[in-house]
C-alpha cells in the first residue's frame, strides 16, 4: 500500500530535510500523530512564520529578529576583532561554542567557480567599511577547511589588501573535510587559539 | 549567545523529535530558512492539519483517511489470515515490505506491567469479532522480539483460546544480511534452537 493521503504527503515533505530518509520521515510523522497537540501546533506555526520573523542583521549579516543582532548590539563585544564566516549557520556554530568575544561578518557565499558561486561584492564592501569604522586590528577568517574555503580566504585577503589590518585564519586543527557547523567545541577552541597570521608573499 | 527569538524557538521545537539532537535541529531550522517557500508552507500546513485528516480504520485500527483503510476496503486481500501488530507504525512497516497479503489488526498497546501499559480490552474484543466474521483460519503475531512482545503474545493467545484458529508468530533468528560476529548472544541462542534441517534434493 501507499501511505494514506495526508499522512503520506507529510512523510514526503519531511523526507526533504537533509539527512532524513524515508524511514526517519515516517517515524517523525508517527511521532507528530501521537505527540502533544500544543507542541504540534507550535511547531506548525513556528515553521509557517519563520521567514517573516527572522531576518539578517544589517551589520554582520547573521540571523536576527531585529535590525541589529544580539552580538552587534552588545557594547561589551570587542569591536577590534572581526571573525569572517561563510554562512549564518557557521556563525551560530562559532558563537554557540562561546570561544570568541569579537564581532562577526557573514559573507553570505563562498568562492566556488565549479558550482558558479561567489562571495557577494556588497558583503566585501561592507566588511571593509566595518573594519574602518570599528578601527579593527584583526580579521579572523573562520572558513571551512576545504578548497572552496581556501579560495574564499584568498578572495577576502585580496579585498582587504589596502587596509592596515592583521588577517589570521583558524588553524588546521579543524578536521580536514569536515565543516564548521558540525565541529565540536574543543576543536573550535583549539582552532581559534592556534590561529595564524596570513603573510603576504614578498 | 542564545539563538534569536523565533529561530531559537523553532530549533527547540524541532529538537523534540525522536533522534533529533541540538545540532540536527539547528541544521533543519537553517534548511527551513533557505528552502523553497512552497515546501515550507506545505509542511507547516500538513503538520497543523495532520490530526484532523488522519484517523484510525474502524476495523483494523491502522491509519486511514477514511472510515475503512485501504487494506480493509480491498476485496482482493485474504480475509482468512490476520496479522496482529502492536502499533500503526509496525503495521505500516509490515505492509510496505509487501510480504503479506491478508488483513491486519493493530492492538494499539502492548503488555508491559513495568511501564503500566496494557493492550486495550476493546481491541481484543474487536479482534475476536473479526476472526469470527471473516472465518479467519490463521492469526499471525507480528510482535516485537522483546519481553513485552512475548507478554503481549501470551495475552492475545489467551484471549483467543476459545476460538478455533491457528496462531503463529514471526520466527526469531539471524537478520538476513547481518553477520554472526555481530549478533547478540540471545539471538544466536534462538537461531540455534530453532535451526532447520537442510534437505538434500532428491
Amino acid at each position: 500500500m501507499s501511505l494514506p493521503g495526508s499522512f503520506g504527503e507529510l512523510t514526503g515533505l519531511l523526507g526533504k530535510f537533509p539527512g532524513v530518509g524515508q524511514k526517519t520521515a515516517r517515524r517523525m510523522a508517527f511521532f507528530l500523530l501521537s505527540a502533544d497537540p500544543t507542541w504540534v501546533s507550535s511547531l506548525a506555526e513556528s515553521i509557517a512564520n519563520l521567514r517573516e520573523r527572522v531576518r539578517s542583521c544589517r551589520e554582520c549579516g547573521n540571523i536576527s529578529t531585529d535590525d541589529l543582532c544580539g552580538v552587534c548590539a552588545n557594547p561589551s563585544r570587542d569591536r577590534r576583532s572581526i571573525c569572517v564566516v561563510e554562512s549564518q549557520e557557521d556563525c551560530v556554530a562559532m558563537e554557540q561554542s562561546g570561544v570568541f568575544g569579537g564581532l562577526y561578518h557573514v559573507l553570505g557565499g563562498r568562492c566556488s567557480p565549479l558550482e558558479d558561486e561567489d562571495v557577494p561584492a556588497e558583503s566585501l564592501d561592507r566588511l571593509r567599511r566595518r573594519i574602518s569604522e570599528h578601527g579593527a586590528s584583526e580579521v579572523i577568517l573562520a572558513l571551512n577547511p576545504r578548497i572552496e574555503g581556501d579560495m574564499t580566504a584568498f578572495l577576502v585577503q585580496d579585498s582587504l589588501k589596502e587596509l592596515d589590518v592583521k588577517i589570521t585564519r583558524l588553524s588546521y586543527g579543524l578536521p580536514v573535510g569536515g565543516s564548521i557547523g558540525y565541529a565540536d567545541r574543543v576543536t573550535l577552541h583549539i582552532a581559534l587559539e592556534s590561529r595564524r597570521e596570513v603573510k603576504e608573499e614578498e
Side-chain angles (χ1 to χ4, degrees), chain A:
Chain A
M1 85 173 169
S2 59
L3 289 162
S6 318
F7 191 85
E9 188 192 298
L10 177 60
T11 307
L13 291 165
L14 289 168
K16 296 264 164 59
F17 275 113
V20 172
Q22 224 200 333
K23 282 193 181 177
T24 308
R26 201 170 70 198
R27 194 179 175 205
M28 287 167 84
F30 270 113
F31 185 78
L32 283 163
L33 204 55
S34 59
D36 173 19
T38 320
W39 173 73
V40 175
S41 52
S42 304
L43 178 67
E45 203 216 306
S46 188
I47 291 174
N49 299 324
L50 180 65
R51 219 167 293 206
E52 55 192 62
R53 286 188 192 155
V54 174
R55 45 182 155 168
S56 300
C57 170
R58 77 171 141 82
E59 278 296 298
C60 71
N62 193 17
I63 47 165
S64 174
T65 41
D66 296 305
D67 202 31
L68 267 189
C69 74
V71 173
C72 287
N74 183 347
S76 68
R77 303 288 296 218
D78 176 12
R79 262 135 234 283
R80 293 178 57 76
S81 177
I82 297 181
C83 176
V84 172
V85 291
E86 184 187 305
S87 66
Q88 294 178 330
E89 194 164 354
D90 288 351
C91 188
V92 168
M94 275 299 286
E95 181 60 11
Q96 287 200 328
S97 76
V99 294
F100 179 66
L103 299 180
Y104 292 98
H105 191 84
V106 177
L107 291 176
R110 59 180 186 170
C111 186
S112 171
L114 280 177
E115 291 165 60
D116 203 24
E117 291 175 30
D118 209 350
V119 178
E122 177 279 324
S123 182
L124 294 172
D125 290 345
R126 191 156 35 87
L127 176 59
R128 279 194 294 270
R129 172 182 58 75
R130 294 181 73 209
I131 292 168
S132 309
E133 268 180 27
H134 298 310
S137 57
E138 182 175 0
V139 168
I140 301 166
L141 305 178
L143 299 164
N144 288 313
R146 299 190 194 145
I147 184 76
E148 292 86 2
D150 291 343
M151 285 193 287
T152 309
F154 280 122
L155 188 78
V156 175
Q157 214 180 320
D158 190 60
S159 84
L160 301 183
K161 64 175 183 267
E162 317 275 291
L163 298 172
D164 178 28
V165 65
K166 186 165 85 174
I167 302 175
T168 58
R169 189 169 177 188
L170 294 192
S171 76
Y172 274 105
L174 292 169
V176 176
S179 82
I180 287 181
Y182 276 91
D184 64 284
R185 193 176 172 283
V186 179
T187 306
L188 280 175
H189 188 81
I190 287 173
L192 185 70
E193 286 298 302
S194 55
R195 65 186 184 272
R196 290 178 171 203
E197 186 170 358
V198 180
K199 287 191 184 98
E200 284 286 338
E201 283 175 53
E202 291 171 46

